[in-house]
């Protein structure tokens, strides 16, 4: 697994083992599918993976003003996979939809008449998607595996492809970029990779699990419930973490590992699901406040605060009507 400039290049087999071993405190709910559009297959030589990834990072940082490359992973025409932004960091990929996502960019232009996806690339995309779904217990459905094309570029609202959207991940991506195409020609491959029974199971949620939001810029994750324990990870401001246990002012973030954070820097939140076809996100707790975005049925949110029938769903002032949320 060669590493250069902070990126690591893996085969699919290596990635499967690598992702299974990753410790990630941030709660992951969705997997985003994208294509790079540019660079495309014509720019790939078979030996310039690191150069292309570095160029994407430079563009994202210099032109877009982001702190890092936007995506967590990039797949290549030869079937290899490269790491990108750290998994503990929120990606910069779909406006308003990034907080609980893993973002994958597939190198190429998969609009009709452009790049023809190689067999190796196809297998890599299926395997990577399945391995990520397995690691983070992401159900294989179109609520939780999403295409950029389904979201409005200006508002981040889910439109399923209508209005001002990108074609991403391509009009010919596994047969098309519509919701129906994903259901018919892409998701079945992931279910086959996982095995039908595994793919059909709902995401496992241990009994009594709670959630919290990180309220400090960086919160160290330690191997024990004290400040002198070894640091094993760190989570950033706004990350939603799972709480499995509490002891002497410390919270355990894993059911199987000794991973603890100070409770002083975590505020409780509640998980909920949108039960309306369209739920407007407003700048304050009331219908007189301006619309910021819109959520679609079955999207999941975390409630930070409740007041007069309204729920704040982020650290910032983003509010939705409580009547259209169902506790998850």
């Amino acid at each position: 697994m060669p590493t250069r400039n902070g990126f690591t290049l893996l085969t699919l087999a290596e990635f499967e083992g690598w992702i299974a071993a990753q410790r990630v405190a941030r709660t992951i709910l969705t997997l985003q599918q994208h294509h790079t559009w540019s660079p495309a297959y014509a720019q790939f030589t078979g030996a310039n993976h690191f150069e292309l990834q570095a160029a994407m990072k430079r563009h994202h940082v210099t032109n877009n003003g982001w702190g890092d490359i936007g995506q967590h992973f990039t797949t290549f025409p030869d079937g290899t996979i490269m790491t990108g932004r750290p998994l503990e960091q929120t990606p910069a990929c779909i406006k308003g939809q990034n907080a609980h996502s893993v973002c994958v960019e597939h190198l190429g232009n998969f609009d009709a008449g452009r790049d023809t996806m190689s067999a190796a690339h196809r297998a890599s995309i299926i395997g990577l998607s399945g391995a990520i779904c397995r690691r983070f217990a992401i159900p294989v459905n179109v609520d939780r595996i999403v295409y950029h094309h389904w979201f409005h570029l200006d508002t981040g609202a889910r439109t399923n492809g209508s209005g001002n959207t990108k074609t991403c991940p391509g009009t010919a991506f596994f047969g098309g970029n519509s919701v129906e195409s994903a259901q018919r020609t892409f998701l079945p491959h992931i279910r086959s990779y996982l095995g039908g029974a595994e793919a059909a199971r709902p995401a496992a949620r241990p009994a009594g699990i709670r959630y919290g939001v990180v309220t400090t810029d960086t919160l160290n994750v330690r191997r024990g419930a004290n400040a002198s324990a070894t640091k094993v990870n760190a989570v950033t401001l706004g990350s939603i973490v799972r709480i499995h246990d509490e002891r002497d002012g410390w919270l355990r973030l894993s059911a199987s590992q000794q991973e603890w954070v100070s409770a002083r820097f975590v505020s409780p939140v509640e998980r909920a699901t949108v039960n309306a076809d369209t739920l407007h996100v407003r700048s304050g707790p009331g219908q007189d406040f301006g619309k910021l975005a819109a959520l679609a049925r079955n999207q999941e949110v975390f409630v930070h605060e409740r007041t007069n029938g309204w729920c704040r769903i982020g650290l910032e002032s983003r509010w939705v009507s409580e009547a259209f949320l169902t506790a998850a």
Side-chain angles (χ1 to χ4, degrees), residues 36 61 68 72 120 142 209 234 263 265 294 314:
T36 59
V61 172
D68 201 343
H72 293 113
V142 292
I209 192 171
F265 304 108

Side-chain angles (χ1 to χ4, degrees), residues 10-13 41 44 49 75-81 106-107 110 116-128 174:
L10 308 99
T11 65
L12 176 57
Y41 271 32
F44 180 65
H49 308 73
T75 66
F76 290 89
D78 61 356
T80 56
I81 299 162
H106 307 301
L107 191 138
F110 300 116
T116 299
M117 188 182 293
S118 69
H121 204 175
R122 183 182 177 90
S124 174
I125 291 170
I126 294 167
L128 169 138
F174 283 84

Side-chain angles (χ1 to χ4, degrees), residues 18-319:
W18 181 90
I19 192 69
Q22 294 303 297
R23 294 181 175 183
V24 182
R26 184 172 68 96
T27 298
I28 305 296
L29 301 179
T30 60
L31 171 60
Q32 300 179 7
Q33 303 283 346
H34 302 258
H35 69 166
T36 59
W37 191 78
S38 178
Y41 271 32
Q43 284 75 52
F44 180 65
T45 68
N48 62 341
H49 308 73
F50 288 102
E51 289 78 9
L52 291 172
Q53 187 85 332
M56 283 188 275
K57 178 176 179 177
R58 285 194 300 272
H59 179 80
H60 291 171
V61 172
T62 303
N63 292 68
N64 297 355
W66 301 342
D68 201 343
I69 193 169
Q71 67 265 32
H72 293 113
F73 302 106
T74 304
T75 66
F76 290 89
D78 61 356
T80 56
I81 299 162
M82 186 169 287
T83 61
R85 180 177 290 219
L87 281 166
E88 286 294 5
Q89 294 181 14
T90 298
C93 294
I94 302 177
K95 182 175 182 177
Q97 304 294 329
N98 295 313
H100 316 297
S101 292
V102 169
C103 171
V104 182
E105 290 275 2
H106 307 301
L107 191 138
N109 180 352
F110 300 116
D111 285 338
R114 301 297 182 175
D115 293 331
T116 299
M117 188 182 293
S118 69
H121 204 175
R122 183 182 177 90
S124 174
I125 291 170
I126 294 167
L128 169 138
S129 299
I132 290 173
C133 288
R134 176 182 288 138
R135 170 62 184 83
F136 298 110
I138 298 174
V140 182
N141 60 51
V142 292
D143 295 321
R144 305 288 287 278
I145 299 176
V146 300
Y147 293 178
H148 197 173
H149 176 58
W150 303 345
F151 298 89
H152 196 281
L153 287 177
D154 299 324
T155 66
R158 181 158 180 171
T159 66
N160 288 340
S162 64
N164 182 24
T165 68
K166 287 188 172 183
T167 62
C168 186
T171 58
F173 180 81
F174 283 84
N177 62 358
S178 68
V179 173
E180 294 75 17
S181 292
Q183 291 173 319
R184 186 179 65 254
T185 62
F186 182 53
L187 299 192
H189 292 293
I190 301 176
R191 295 191 185 102
S192 179
Y193 170 90
L194 291 170
E198 180 179 356
R201 283 198 298 268
R205 194 174 309 167
I209 192 171
R210 296 179 290 139
Y211 295 90
V213 60
V214 176
T215 59
T216 188
D217 288 343
T218 303
L219 179 58
N220 290 329
V221 181
R222 299 189 179 277
R223 200 178 297 279
N226 60 80
S228 60
T230 303
K231 175 185 170 182
V232 294
N233 199 354
V235 283
T236 56
L237 179 69
S239 295
I240 302 295
V241 296
R242 301 165 299 282
I243 301 170
H244 295 265
D245 193 11
E246 185 168 1
R247 181 191 306 168
D248 300 326
W250 288 78
L251 305 174
R252 185 173 179 176
L253 306 188
S254 171
S256 59
Q257 304 288 336
Q258 292 295 322
E259 297 179 352
W260 297 80
V261 296
S262 172
R264 288 192 301 142
F265 304 108
V266 178
S267 293
V269 295
E270 302 170 42
R271 188 170 173 173
T273 302
V274 175
N275 60 32
D277 289 337
T278 302
L279 178 57
H280 293 298
V281 180
R282 297 184 180 272
S283 59
Q287 290 189 356
D288 293 335
F289 289 91
K291 298 176 185 177
L292 300 176
L295 305 175
R297 185 179 294 275
N298 296 327
Q299 283 191 250
E300 295 203 46
V301 298
F302 289 93
V303 176
H304 296 235
E305 178 186 356
R306 298 176 188 268
T307 181
N308 298 325
W310 289 79
C311 298
R312 181 165 57 85
I313 58 170
L315 287 178
E316 69 278 26
S317 189
R318 294 169 59 88
W319 295 80

